[in-house]
Amino acid sequence: MDVNGKRVLICHVGSIGKAIWARFEDAGATLGEFVHGDSIPHGEVDIAICTSGRMLIQHPQTVWESAVAEMLHLNYIIPRVFTEYMLAAGEKLVIHIGSNSARYGKSYAEDYAAAKSALAKYCEIRGALASKENGARITYINLGGVNNVFWDHVCGAPGFDSDVAANLIPAEGKGLTNAEVAELVLAICLLPENVCVKDLLVVAKAYQ
C-alpha cells in the first residue's frame, strides 16, 4: 500500500509521533492529530497511529493510586478508546507504539509493564474480532529502548530511582532512534493489505 495521498491520524504527537509525522509527510501522506473527544467522520482516515504512553521508575510502594491511574490512562485507556474511535469510523489499519515491557517487564516499572501488557492483549483479542467484522488490522509494536526525550520525563518524575534506572534506560547510542521507529511504522503501512503484523518485537542490535 502506497501512503502517498493517504490520510494519517496520530494520537499523542510526542517525540516519536513527530518523527512519524515528518516521515509520512515526506512520503506524501496528509497528517492530522487526534484529540480525545474529536468526532471522526466515517471513511475520513486511512491509517491511525497511537504513540501515547508514560513510564515511572520507582519502588511500587511509593507509587500513589493517582499515579497508577494516570499510567493506566495514558498507556491503556487512551489507546483503547482511540482504537474504538477508529474502528467505528471505518478505519482499516490501527498501529500502536508499545513497549517490550509488555513481554519483559522489570522491577520498579511494574505498573508500566502491566498497562502495556493489557494493551497488547487487548490489541490481540480485539484485532481478531475487527478482522472478522470488517477486515481491519490492529498492530501492536513492542519497542525496545528508544533514545529520545521520553526518558527526560521519566527521570524528572517524583520518586525517580536513578540507580535502578541505569539498568532500564538505554545508554546513548544503544537504543533505537525516533527516525528508525518512523521507518518501521512506514514499512508496516507499505505491506499488502492481506498482511497483518499482530505483535512485533523490535530492538536495536546493541540493546539485546
Short mmCIF file of all heavy atoms in Angstrom, two decimals, residues 46-115:
data_model
loop_
_atom_site.label_atom_id
_atom_site.label_comp_id
_atom_site.label_asym_id
_atom_site.label_seq_id
_atom_site.Cartn_x
_atom_site.Cartn_y
_atom_site.Cartn_z
N ASP A 46 -7.29 6.90 6.76
CA ASP A 46 -6.79 5.66 6.16
C ASP A 46 -5.89 4.88 7.11
O ASP A 46 -5.93 3.65 7.14
CB ASP A 46 -6.00 5.99 4.88
CG ASP A 46 -6.86 6.66 3.82
OD1 ASP A 46 -7.86 6.06 3.42
OD2 ASP A 46 -6.53 7.80 3.43
N ILE A 47 -5.07 5.59 7.88
CA ILE A 47 -4.12 4.94 8.80
C ILE A 47 -4.17 5.67 10.14
O ILE A 47 -4.09 6.90 10.19
CB ILE A 47 -2.69 5.00 8.25
CG1 ILE A 47 -2.60 4.30 6.89
CG2 ILE A 47 -1.70 4.36 9.22
CD1 ILE A 47 -1.29 4.56 6.15
N ALA A 48 -4.31 4.92 11.22
CA ALA A 48 -4.35 5.51 12.57
C ALA A 48 -3.17 4.99 13.37
O ALA A 48 -2.91 3.78 13.40
CB ALA A 48 -5.66 5.14 13.26
N ILE A 49 -2.45 5.90 14.03
CA ILE A 49 -1.25 5.53 14.78
C ILE A 49 -1.32 6.14 16.18
O ILE A 49 -1.55 7.35 16.32
CB ILE A 49 0.03 6.03 14.07
CG1 ILE A 49 0.08 5.50 12.63
CG2 ILE A 49 1.27 5.63 14.85
CD1 ILE A 49 1.13 6.18 11.77
N CYS A 50 -1.12 5.32 17.20
CA CYS A 50 -1.16 5.81 18.58
C CYS A 50 0.20 5.63 19.25
O CYS A 50 0.76 4.53 19.25
CB CYS A 50 -2.23 5.06 19.38
SG CYS A 50 -2.42 5.68 21.08
N THR A 51 0.73 6.72 19.81
CA THR A 51 2.03 6.66 20.49
C THR A 51 1.92 7.06 21.96
O THR A 51 2.93 7.35 22.60
CB THR A 51 3.05 7.59 19.79
OG1 THR A 51 2.68 8.95 20.00
CG2 THR A 51 3.13 7.32 18.30
N SER A 52 0.72 7.06 22.50
CA SER A 52 0.50 7.51 23.87
C SER A 52 1.21 6.60 24.87
O SER A 52 1.19 5.37 24.74
CB SER A 52 -1.00 7.54 24.18
OG SER A 52 -1.23 7.93 25.52
N GLY A 53 1.84 7.20 25.90
CA GLY A 53 2.46 6.39 26.93
C GLY A 53 3.27 7.23 27.91
O GLY A 53 3.70 8.34 27.60
N ARG A 54 3.46 6.69 29.10
CA ARG A 54 4.29 7.32 30.12
C ARG A 54 4.78 6.24 31.08
O ARG A 54 4.09 5.25 31.32
CB ARG A 54 3.53 8.40 30.88
CG ARG A 54 4.38 9.12 31.93
CD ARG A 54 3.66 10.32 32.50
NE ARG A 54 3.40 11.32 31.46
CZ ARG A 54 2.67 12.41 31.65
NH1 ARG A 54 2.13 12.64 32.84
NH2 ARG A 54 2.48 13.27 30.67
N MET A 55 5.97 6.45 31.63
CA MET A 55 6.60 5.45 32.49
C MET A 55 7.05 6.06 33.81
O MET A 55 7.44 7.22 33.86
CB MET A 55 7.81 4.86 31.75
CG MET A 55 8.51 3.72 32.44
SD MET A 55 9.95 3.19 31.47
CE MET A 55 10.24 1.57 32.16
N LEU A 56 6.99 5.27 34.87
CA LEU A 56 7.56 5.63 36.16
C LEU A 56 8.60 4.59 36.54
O LEU A 56 8.39 3.39 36.32
CB LEU A 56 6.49 5.68 37.24
CG LEU A 56 5.47 6.83 37.21
CD1 LEU A 56 4.46 6.64 38.33
CD2 LEU A 56 6.17 8.17 37.34
N ILE A 57 9.72 5.03 37.10
CA ILE A 57 10.73 4.10 37.61
C ILE A 57 10.93 4.41 39.08
O ILE A 57 11.65 5.34 39.46
CB ILE A 57 12.07 4.25 36.86
CG1 ILE A 57 11.88 3.94 35.37
CG2 ILE A 57 13.12 3.32 37.46
CD1 ILE A 57 13.15 4.10 34.55
N GLN A 58 10.24 3.66 39.93
CA GLN A 58 10.37 3.83 41.38
C GLN A 58 9.75 2.62 42.07
O GLN A 58 9.02 1.84 41.46
CB GLN A 58 9.69 5.11 41.85
CG GLN A 58 8.19 5.20 41.57
CD GLN A 58 7.63 6.58 41.85
OE1 GLN A 58 7.67 7.46 41.00
NE2 GLN A 58 7.12 6.77 43.06
N HIS A 59 10.06 2.48 43.35
CA HIS A 59 9.56 1.33 44.09
C HIS A 59 8.02 1.36 44.11
O HIS A 59 7.43 2.41 44.36
CB HIS A 59 10.10 1.34 45.53
CG HIS A 59 9.91 0.05 46.24
ND1 HIS A 59 8.68 -0.35 46.74
CD2 HIS A 59 10.78 -0.96 46.51
CE1 HIS A 59 8.80 -1.53 47.29
NE2 HIS A 59 10.06 -1.93 47.18
N PRO A 60 7.37 0.22 43.84
CA PRO A 60 5.90 0.21 43.77
C PRO A 60 5.20 0.68 45.04
O PRO A 60 4.07 1.17 44.97
CB PRO A 60 5.57 -1.26 43.44
CG PRO A 60 6.79 -2.03 43.83
CD PRO A 60 7.95 -1.12 43.57
N GLN A 61 5.84 0.55 46.19
CA GLN A 61 5.21 1.01 47.43
C GLN A 61 5.19 2.53 47.54
O GLN A 61 4.50 3.07 48.41
CB GLN A 61 5.92 0.40 48.64
CG GLN A 61 5.69 -1.09 48.79
CD GLN A 61 6.30 -1.65 50.06
OE1 GLN A 61 7.14 -1.01 50.70
NE2 GLN A 61 5.89 -2.85 50.43
N THR A 62 5.94 3.20 46.69
CA THR A 62 5.97 4.67 46.71
C THR A 62 5.12 5.28 45.61
O THR A 62 5.06 6.50 45.48
CB THR A 62 7.41 5.18 46.56
OG1 THR A 62 7.89 4.90 45.24
CG2 THR A 62 8.33 4.54 47.58
N VAL A 63 4.45 4.44 44.83
CA VAL A 63 3.61 4.94 43.73
C VAL A 63 2.19 5.12 44.24
O VAL A 63 1.52 4.13 44.59
CB VAL A 63 3.64 3.98 42.53
CG1 VAL A 63 2.77 4.53 41.40
CG2 VAL A 63 5.06 3.76 42.04
N TRP A 64 1.72 6.36 44.28
CA TRP A 64 0.38 6.63 44.78
C TRP A 64 -0.69 6.17 43.79
O TRP A 64 -0.44 6.01 42.61
CB TRP A 64 0.20 8.12 45.05
CG TRP A 64 1.09 8.63 46.14
CD1 TRP A 64 2.26 9.30 46.02
CD2 TRP A 64 0.87 8.49 47.56
NE1 TRP A 64 2.81 9.59 47.25
CE2 TRP A 64 1.97 9.11 48.21
CE3 TRP A 64 -0.14 7.91 48.32
CZ2 TRP A 64 2.08 9.15 49.60
CZ3 TRP A 64 -0.02 7.97 49.72
CH2 TRP A 64 1.07 8.58 50.33
N GLU A 65 -1.90 5.96 44.31
CA GLU A 65 -3.01 5.49 43.49
C GLU A 65 -3.25 6.41 42.28
O GLU A 65 -3.54 5.94 41.18
CB GLU A 65 -4.28 5.40 44.34
CG GLU A 65 -5.50 4.89 43.58
CD GLU A 65 -6.73 4.80 44.48
OE1 GLU A 65 -6.58 4.84 45.72
OE2 GLU A 65 -7.83 4.69 43.93
N SER A 66 -3.12 7.72 42.49
CA SER A 66 -3.35 8.67 41.39
C SER A 66 -2.34 8.47 40.27
O SER A 66 -2.66 8.60 39.08
CB SER A 66 -3.27 10.10 41.90
OG SER A 66 -2.01 10.37 42.51
N ALA A 67 -1.09 8.13 40.64
CA ALA A 67 -0.05 7.89 39.63
C ALA A 67 -0.33 6.61 38.86
O ALA A 67 -0.11 6.54 37.64
CB ALA A 67 1.32 7.82 40.28
N VAL A 68 -0.81 5.58 39.55
CA VAL A 68 -1.17 4.33 38.90
C VAL A 68 -2.31 4.58 37.90
O VAL A 68 -2.29 4.09 36.77
CB VAL A 68 -1.59 3.26 39.93
CG1 VAL A 68 -2.09 2.01 39.22
CG2 VAL A 68 -0.43 2.92 40.85
N ALA A 69 -3.29 5.36 38.34
CA ALA A 69 -4.43 5.68 37.47
C ALA A 69 -3.97 6.43 36.22
O ALA A 69 -4.45 6.18 35.11
CB ALA A 69 -5.46 6.52 38.24
N GLU A 70 -3.03 7.36 36.40
CA GLU A 70 -2.52 8.11 35.25
C GLU A 70 -1.78 7.19 34.29
O GLU A 70 -1.90 7.32 33.07
CB GLU A 70 -1.59 9.23 35.72
CG GLU A 70 -1.06 10.07 34.56
CD GLU A 70 -0.10 11.15 35.03
OE1 GLU A 70 0.56 10.96 36.05
OE2 GLU A 70 -0.01 12.18 34.35
N MET A 71 -1.00 6.26 34.83
CA MET A 71 -0.29 5.30 34.00
C MET A 71 -1.25 4.47 33.17
O MET A 71 -1.06 4.27 31.97
CB MET A 71 0.55 4.38 34.89
CG MET A 71 1.70 5.08 35.58
SD MET A 71 3.11 5.30 34.50
CE MET A 71 3.69 3.63 34.41
N LEU A 72 -2.32 3.99 33.80
CA LEU A 72 -3.31 3.20 33.07
C LEU A 72 -4.02 4.04 32.02
O LEU A 72 -4.31 3.57 30.92
CB LEU A 72 -4.32 2.60 34.05
CG LEU A 72 -3.82 1.45 34.93
CD1 LEU A 72 -4.87 1.09 35.97
CD2 LEU A 72 -3.50 0.24 34.07
N HIS A 73 -4.28 5.29 32.37
CA HIS A 73 -4.98 6.18 31.44
C HIS A 73 -4.16 6.42 30.17
O HIS A 73 -4.69 6.32 29.06
CB HIS A 73 -5.28 7.51 32.13
CG HIS A 73 -6.10 8.44 31.30
ND1 HIS A 73 -7.45 8.25 31.06
CD2 HIS A 73 -5.77 9.59 30.65
CE1 HIS A 73 -7.90 9.22 30.30
NE2 HIS A 73 -6.90 10.04 30.03
N LEU A 74 -2.88 6.72 30.34
CA LEU A 74 -2.04 7.07 29.19
C LEU A 74 -1.57 5.84 28.40
O LEU A 74 -1.43 5.91 27.18
CB LEU A 74 -0.81 7.85 29.67
CG LEU A 74 -1.10 9.24 30.22
CD1 LEU A 74 0.14 9.83 30.87
CD2 LEU A 74 -1.59 10.17 29.11
N ASN A 75 -1.36 4.73 29.09
CA ASN A 75 -0.81 3.55 28.43
C ASN A 75 -1.85 2.54 27.98
O ASN A 75 -1.53 1.68 27.14
CB ASN A 75 0.18 2.84 29.37
CG ASN A 75 1.42 3.67 29.61
OD1 ASN A 75 2.18 3.96 28.69
ND2 ASN A 75 1.64 4.06 30.86
N TYR A 76 -3.06 2.63 28.53
CA TYR A 76 -4.09 1.67 28.13
C TYR A 76 -5.40 2.32 27.69
O TYR A 76 -5.89 2.08 26.59
CB TYR A 76 -4.38 0.66 29.25
CG TYR A 76 -5.50 -0.27 28.87
CD1 TYR A 76 -5.31 -1.26 27.92
CD2 TYR A 76 -6.77 -0.14 29.45
CE1 TYR A 76 -6.36 -2.10 27.54
CE2 TYR A 76 -7.81 -0.98 29.08
CZ TYR A 76 -7.61 -1.96 28.12
OH TYR A 76 -8.64 -2.77 27.74
N ILE A 77 -5.97 3.18 28.55
CA ILE A 77 -7.30 3.71 28.27
C ILE A 77 -7.32 4.57 27.01
O ILE A 77 -8.18 4.38 26.14
CB ILE A 77 -7.84 4.49 29.49
CG1 ILE A 77 -8.03 3.54 30.67
CG2 ILE A 77 -9.15 5.18 29.14
CD1 ILE A 77 -8.44 4.22 31.96
N ILE A 78 -6.40 5.53 26.89
CA ILE A 78 -6.38 6.39 25.70
C ILE A 78 -6.18 5.56 24.42
O ILE A 78 -6.94 5.72 23.45
CB ILE A 78 -5.32 7.50 25.83
CG1 ILE A 78 -5.78 8.55 26.82
CG2 ILE A 78 -5.03 8.14 24.47
CD1 ILE A 78 -4.80 9.69 27.02
N PRO A 79 -5.18 4.67 24.37
CA PRO A 79 -5.03 3.85 23.17
C PRO A 79 -6.24 2.98 22.87
O PRO A 79 -6.62 2.80 21.71
CB PRO A 79 -3.80 2.98 23.48
CG PRO A 79 -3.03 3.78 24.47
CD PRO A 79 -4.07 4.44 25.32
N ARG A 80 -6.86 2.45 23.92
CA ARG A 80 -8.04 1.60 23.74
C ARG A 80 -9.21 2.40 23.16
O ARG A 80 -9.88 1.97 22.22
CB ARG A 80 -8.42 0.99 25.09
CG ARG A 80 -9.50 -0.08 25.00
CD ARG A 80 -10.82 0.48 25.46
NE ARG A 80 -11.83 -0.58 25.52
CZ ARG A 80 -13.06 -0.44 25.07
NH1 ARG A 80 -13.45 0.70 24.52
NH2 ARG A 80 -13.92 -1.42 25.18
N VAL A 81 -9.45 3.59 23.72
CA VAL A 81 -10.53 4.45 23.23
C VAL A 81 -10.24 4.90 21.79
O VAL A 81 -11.13 4.92 20.94
CB VAL A 81 -10.70 5.68 24.15
CG1 VAL A 81 -11.64 6.70 23.52
CG2 VAL A 81 -11.24 5.24 25.52
N PHE A 82 -8.99 5.24 21.53
CA PHE A 82 -8.58 5.65 20.18
C PHE A 82 -8.88 4.54 19.17
O PHE A 82 -9.40 4.80 18.07
CB PHE A 82 -7.08 5.97 20.18
CG PHE A 82 -6.52 6.34 18.84
CD1 PHE A 82 -6.84 7.54 18.23
CD2 PHE A 82 -5.62 5.48 18.20
CE1 PHE A 82 -6.30 7.89 17.00
CE2 PHE A 82 -5.08 5.82 16.97
CZ PHE A 82 -5.42 7.01 16.37
N THR A 83 -8.56 3.31 19.54
CA THR A 83 -8.82 2.17 18.65
C THR A 83 -10.30 2.07 18.30
O THR A 83 -10.67 1.90 17.13
CB THR A 83 -8.35 0.86 19.31
OG1 THR A 83 -6.95 0.94 19.56
CG2 THR A 83 -8.63 -0.33 18.42
N GLU A 84 -11.15 2.18 19.31
CA GLU A 84 -12.58 2.04 19.07
C GLU A 84 -13.13 3.20 18.24
O GLU A 84 -14.02 3.01 17.39
CB GLU A 84 -13.34 1.91 20.39
CG GLU A 84 -13.01 0.63 21.15
CD GLU A 84 -13.26 -0.64 20.33
OE1 GLU A 84 -14.12 -0.64 19.43
OE2 GLU A 84 -12.56 -1.63 20.59
N TYR A 85 -12.61 4.40 18.47
CA TYR A 85 -12.99 5.54 17.63
C TYR A 85 -12.67 5.24 16.18
O TYR A 85 -13.47 5.49 15.27
CB TYR A 85 -12.23 6.80 18.06
CG TYR A 85 -12.93 7.68 19.07
CD1 TYR A 85 -12.43 7.81 20.36
CD2 TYR A 85 -14.06 8.42 18.72
CE1 TYR A 85 -13.05 8.62 21.30
CE2 TYR A 85 -14.69 9.25 19.65
CZ TYR A 85 -14.18 9.34 20.94
OH TYR A 85 -14.79 10.15 21.86
N MET A 86 -11.48 4.73 15.95
CA MET A 86 -11.02 4.47 14.58
C MET A 86 -11.81 3.35 13.91
O MET A 86 -12.20 3.46 12.74
CB MET A 86 -9.53 4.12 14.59
CG MET A 86 -8.60 5.25 15.04
SD MET A 86 -8.76 6.75 14.03
CE MET A 86 -9.79 7.76 15.08
N LEU A 87 -12.06 2.28 14.64
CA LEU A 87 -12.83 1.17 14.06
C LEU A 87 -14.26 1.60 13.75
O LEU A 87 -14.83 1.22 12.72
CB LEU A 87 -12.82 -0.02 15.02
CG LEU A 87 -11.47 -0.70 15.25
CD1 LEU A 87 -11.59 -1.80 16.29
CD2 LEU A 87 -10.91 -1.25 13.94
N ALA A 88 -14.83 2.42 14.63
CA ALA A 88 -16.19 2.90 14.40
C ALA A 88 -16.25 3.81 13.17
O ALA A 88 -17.29 3.91 12.50
CB ALA A 88 -16.69 3.66 15.62
N ALA A 89 -15.12 4.46 12.87
CA ALA A 89 -15.06 5.36 11.71
C ALA A 89 -14.70 4.63 10.42
O ALA A 89 -14.50 5.25 9.38
CB ALA A 89 -14.05 6.47 11.97
N GLY A 90 -14.58 3.29 10.51
CA GLY A 90 -14.29 2.51 9.33
C GLY A 90 -12.82 2.35 9.03
O GLY A 90 -12.44 1.90 7.95
N GLU A 91 -11.97 2.70 10.01
CA GLU A 91 -10.53 2.59 9.82
C GLU A 91 -10.11 1.14 9.61
O GLU A 91 -10.62 0.24 10.26
CB GLU A 91 -9.82 3.18 11.05
CG GLU A 91 -8.33 2.97 11.08
CD GLU A 91 -7.67 3.47 9.83
OE1 GLU A 91 -7.91 4.62 9.44
OE2 GLU A 91 -6.94 2.69 9.22
N LYS A 92 -9.16 0.91 8.70
CA LYS A 92 -8.73 -0.44 8.36
C LYS A 92 -7.36 -0.81 8.90
O LYS A 92 -6.97 -1.97 8.87
CB LYS A 92 -8.73 -0.62 6.83
CG LYS A 92 -10.09 -0.49 6.18
CD LYS A 92 -11.05 -1.56 6.64
CE LYS A 92 -12.36 -1.49 5.87
NZ LYS A 92 -13.33 -2.51 6.33
N LEU A 93 -6.58 0.18 9.36
CA LEU A 93 -5.25 -0.11 9.90
C LEU A 93 -4.98 0.78 11.11
O LEU A 93 -4.89 2.00 10.99
CB LEU A 93 -4.17 0.12 8.84
CG LEU A 93 -2.71 -0.10 9.29
CD1 LEU A 93 -2.52 -1.52 9.82
CD2 LEU A 93 -1.75 0.18 8.15
N VAL A 94 -4.84 0.15 12.28
CA VAL A 94 -4.55 0.86 13.52
C VAL A 94 -3.24 0.31 14.07
O VAL A 94 -3.09 -0.89 14.27
CB VAL A 94 -5.66 0.66 14.57
CG1 VAL A 94 -5.34 1.44 15.84
CG2 VAL A 94 -7.01 1.10 14.01
N ILE A 95 -2.28 1.21 14.31
CA ILE A 95 -0.96 0.80 14.78
C ILE A 95 -0.69 1.42 16.15
O ILE A 95 -0.84 2.63 16.33
CB ILE A 95 0.14 1.25 13.80
CG1 ILE A 95 -0.08 0.59 12.43
CG2 ILE A 95 1.53 0.89 14.34
CD1 ILE A 95 0.87 1.08 11.36
N HIS A 96 -0.27 0.59 17.10
CA HIS A 96 0.07 1.07 18.44
C HIS A 96 1.56 0.94 18.66
O HIS A 96 2.15 -0.13 18.45
CB HIS A 96 -0.67 0.26 19.50
CG HIS A 96 -2.13 0.54 19.57
ND1 HIS A 96 -2.63 1.64 20.24
CD2 HIS A 96 -3.20 -0.11 19.03
CE1 HIS A 96 -3.96 1.65 20.12
NE2 HIS A 96 -4.32 0.60 19.40
N ILE A 97 2.19 2.04 19.10
CA ILE A 97 3.58 2.02 19.50
C ILE A 97 3.62 1.63 20.97
O ILE A 97 3.31 2.44 21.85
CB ILE A 97 4.26 3.39 19.29
CG1 ILE A 97 4.10 3.85 17.85
CG2 ILE A 97 5.74 3.30 19.67
CD1 ILE A 97 4.68 2.92 16.82
N GLY A 98 3.99 0.39 21.24
CA GLY A 98 4.02 -0.11 22.60
C GLY A 98 5.44 -0.23 23.13
O GLY A 98 6.32 0.54 22.77
N SER A 99 5.65 -1.20 23.98
CA SER A 99 6.95 -1.37 24.63
C SER A 99 7.25 -2.85 24.84
O SER A 99 6.32 -3.65 25.06
CB SER A 99 6.97 -0.65 25.98
OG SER A 99 8.10 -1.03 26.74
N ASN A 100 8.53 -3.20 24.81
CA ASN A 100 8.89 -4.58 25.11
C ASN A 100 8.62 -4.92 26.58
O ASN A 100 8.72 -6.08 26.98
CB ASN A 100 10.34 -4.88 24.73
CG ASN A 100 11.36 -4.09 25.52
OD1 ASN A 100 11.00 -3.18 26.27
ND2 ASN A 100 12.63 -4.42 25.35
N SER A 101 8.27 -3.90 27.37
CA SER A 101 7.86 -4.15 28.76
C SER A 101 6.60 -5.01 28.82
O SER A 101 6.33 -5.65 29.85
CB SER A 101 7.62 -2.83 29.50
OG SER A 101 8.83 -2.15 29.71
N ALA A 102 5.83 -5.02 27.73
CA ALA A 102 4.64 -5.86 27.68
C ALA A 102 5.03 -7.34 27.76
O ALA A 102 4.25 -8.18 28.19
CB ALA A 102 3.87 -5.60 26.39
N ARG A 103 6.26 -7.65 27.34
CA ARG A 103 6.75 -9.03 27.41
C ARG A 103 7.77 -9.22 28.52
O ARG A 103 7.79 -10.27 29.17
CB ARG A 103 7.41 -9.41 26.08
CG ARG A 103 6.49 -9.41 24.88
CD ARG A 103 7.22 -10.00 23.68
NE ARG A 103 6.43 -9.93 22.47
CZ ARG A 103 6.81 -10.45 21.30
NH1 ARG A 103 7.99 -11.05 21.23
NH2 ARG A 103 6.05 -10.35 20.24
N TYR A 104 8.64 -8.22 28.70
CA TYR A 104 9.77 -8.38 29.62
C TYR A 104 9.78 -7.26 30.66
O TYR A 104 10.75 -6.52 30.77
CB TYR A 104 11.09 -8.37 28.85
CG TYR A 104 11.10 -9.29 27.66
CD1 TYR A 104 11.23 -8.78 26.38
CD2 TYR A 104 10.99 -10.66 27.82
CE1 TYR A 104 11.24 -9.63 25.27
CE2 TYR A 104 11.00 -11.51 26.73
CZ TYR A 104 11.13 -11.00 25.45
OH TYR A 104 11.14 -11.83 24.37
N GLY A 105 8.72 -7.13 31.40
CA GLY A 105 8.66 -6.09 32.42
C GLY A 105 9.73 -6.27 33.48
O GLY A 105 10.20 -7.39 33.73
N LYS A 106 10.14 -5.15 34.10
CA LYS A 106 11.18 -5.20 35.12
C LYS A 106 10.72 -4.55 36.41
O LYS A 106 9.79 -3.74 36.41
CB LYS A 106 12.45 -4.50 34.61
CG LYS A 106 13.08 -5.20 33.41
CD LYS A 106 14.38 -4.52 33.01
CE LYS A 106 15.03 -5.25 31.84
NZ LYS A 106 16.31 -4.61 31.44
N SER A 107 11.36 -4.91 37.49
CA SER A 107 11.05 -4.32 38.79
C SER A 107 11.25 -2.81 38.74
O SER A 107 12.11 -2.31 38.02
CB SER A 107 11.96 -4.92 39.87
OG SER A 107 11.73 -6.31 40.00
N TYR A 108 10.46 -2.11 39.53
CA TYR A 108 10.45 -0.65 39.62
C TYR A 108 9.71 -0.01 38.44
O TYR A 108 9.61 1.20 38.37
CB TYR A 108 11.86 -0.07 39.74
CG TYR A 108 12.47 -0.26 41.11
CD1 TYR A 108 12.89 -1.52 41.53
CD2 TYR A 108 12.60 0.80 42.00
CE1 TYR A 108 13.44 -1.72 42.79
CE2 TYR A 108 13.16 0.62 43.26
CZ TYR A 108 13.57 -0.65 43.65
OH TYR A 108 14.10 -0.83 44.90
N ALA A 109 9.22 -0.82 37.51
CA ALA A 109 8.40 -0.30 36.41
C ALA A 109 7.21 -1.24 36.20
O ALA A 109 6.78 -1.48 35.08
CB ALA A 109 9.22 -0.18 35.14
N GLU A 110 6.69 -1.76 37.32
CA GLU A 110 5.63 -2.77 37.28
C GLU A 110 4.35 -2.25 36.64
O GLU A 110 3.72 -2.94 35.82
CB GLU A 110 5.31 -3.27 38.70
CG GLU A 110 6.42 -4.08 39.35
CD GLU A 110 7.44 -3.23 40.08
OE1 GLU A 110 7.38 -1.98 39.96
OE2 GLU A 110 8.30 -3.80 40.77
N ASP A 111 3.94 -1.04 37.02
CA ASP A 111 2.67 -0.51 36.52
C ASP A 111 2.74 -0.22 35.02
O ASP A 111 1.77 -0.44 34.29
CB ASP A 111 2.30 0.77 37.28
CG ASP A 111 2.06 0.49 38.75
OD1 ASP A 111 1.17 -0.33 39.05
OD2 ASP A 111 2.77 1.06 39.59
N TYR A 112 3.88 0.26 34.57
CA TYR A 112 4.08 0.50 33.14
C TYR A 112 3.97 -0.81 32.36
O TYR A 112 3.27 -0.91 31.35
CB TYR A 112 5.44 1.13 32.92
CG TYR A 112 5.79 1.41 31.49
CD1 TYR A 112 5.22 2.49 30.81
CD2 TYR A 112 6.71 0.63 30.82
CE1 TYR A 112 5.55 2.76 29.49
CE2 TYR A 112 7.05 0.89 29.49
CZ TYR A 112 6.47 1.96 28.83
OH TYR A 112 6.80 2.21 27.53
N ALA A 113 4.66 -1.84 32.86
CA ALA A 113 4.63 -3.14 32.20
C ALA A 113 3.22 -3.72 32.19
O ALA A 113 2.76 -4.29 31.18
CB ALA A 113 5.59 -4.10 32.89
N ALA A 114 2.51 -3.58 33.30
CA ALA A 114 1.15 -4.12 33.40
C ALA A 114 0.21 -3.42 32.41
O ALA A 114 -0.60 -4.07 31.74
CB ALA A 114 0.63 -3.95 34.82
N ALA A 115 0.35 -2.10 32.31
CA ALA A 115 -0.52 -1.34 31.39
C ALA A 115 -0.22 -1.68 29.94
O ALA A 115 -1.14 -1.84 29.13
CB ALA A 115 -0.34 0.16 31.64
#
